[in-house]
Amino acid sequence: MNQPTFLTIILNFRTPDLTIKAAEAALRVLRVLGGEVLIVDNGSGDGSYDTLCDHVAARGWDKDGDLRMVQSPQNGGFGAGNNFGMAHGLASGAQPDFYYLLNSDAWPDPGAVGKLLELMHAQPKAGMAGSHIRGEDDGDHCTIFRFPTIAGEFEGAARLGVITRMLHDSVVPMEIPAQTTQVDWTAGASLLMRREMLDEIGGFDETFFLYYEETELCHRAARAGWQTYYVPSS
């Protein structure tokens, strides 16, 4: 099997210092798995793009083509910014097999992206795979959810123990599992996406500026027969 190609996209909006830290982590992944890193400045308008370019040049990250910088002319939100990055593809002009979305305030542990790739190889209908997220205090962050339903929204509004127990299978935030689990949708902080799936269903719906864009994309993928997984070992 040929080594899969993947493009890491880091979206920056007025967080150049965090973005540089995320890029450092992404480049460590790249040295093991290959691939390229693309930093998208999402119309920051505050000098972030120039700051990032200076940092990248000072570190020599742009010399071998492994890391590139692009600037979106406007801030269209999370989905639009990532669509803008995905449209650029690899430096060769080809499209990768996978896109890896990494928040500017997220830093993958060694092996984290490799675990997502392993899942993709094992599950050919997996369109997306997300990581376990923990805070700097080492606390777990819930990033896996059920699709919203009337029952789930009712439970979220009521927040009463007896109702939560009655509607357990409709509660939108899921309990964090210890094993790899198929889920309805997961957050885009550390998310691997199969290009074949995106070719079929399209990218993010840009009418969502922030929040619910991952929900809608995973829902559209599920309707087309693709699966989303949560990989706690990542």
Side-chain angles (χ1 to χ4, degrees), residues 17-150:
D17 292 340
L18 290 175
T19 298
I20 288 297
K21 186 175 178 180
E24 287 178 333
L27 287 168
R28 287 195 294 269
V29 171
L30 182 151
R31 294 184 185 105
V32 176
L33 297 176
E36 299 176 10
V37 178
L38 182 69
I39 298 176
V40 178
D41 181 66
N42 203 20
S44 294
D46 67 342
S48 285
Y49 181 74
D50 292 336
T51 299
L52 288 166
C53 286
D54 289 344
H55 278 286
V56 168
R59 289 165 170 78
W61 288 347
D62 56 344
K63 291 182 179 178
D64 53 10
D66 289 339
L67 187 146
R68 291 173 292 144
M69 286 282 309
V70 295
Q71 186 176 31
S72 174
Q74 62 182 7
N75 176 19
F78 178 86
N82 279 298
N83 284 347
F84 183 80
M86 289 189 287
H88 279 75
L90 299 169
S92 65
Q95 294 299 311
D97 298 311
F98 299 97
Y99 297 98
Y100 175 57
L101 306 188
L102 181 66
N103 269 14
S104 64
D105 61 350
W107 310 295
D109 288 343
V113 181
K115 292 293 185 181
L116 300 179
L117 282 169
E118 288 175 13
L119 181 281
M120 289 294 194
H121 291 318
Q123 301 289 345
K125 289 306 292 181
M128 287 172 272
S131 299
H132 170 92
I133 306 296
R134 65 179 188 273
E136 291 185 295
D137 62 356
D138 215 34
D140 295 331
H141 287 207
C142 179
T143 56
I144 52 173
F145 308 91
R146 296 179 178 88
F147 291 133
T149 62
I150 293 174

Side-chain angles (χ1 to χ4, degrees), residues 79 180 220:
T180 295
R220 193 165 6 113

Side-chain angles (χ1 to χ4, degrees), residues 7-26:
L7 176 65
T8 297
I9 299 175
I10 303 172
L11 197 62
N12 175 79
F13 182 72
R14 301 181 179 179
T15 57
D17 292 340
L18 290 175
T19 298
I20 288 297
K21 186 175 178 180
E24 287 178 333

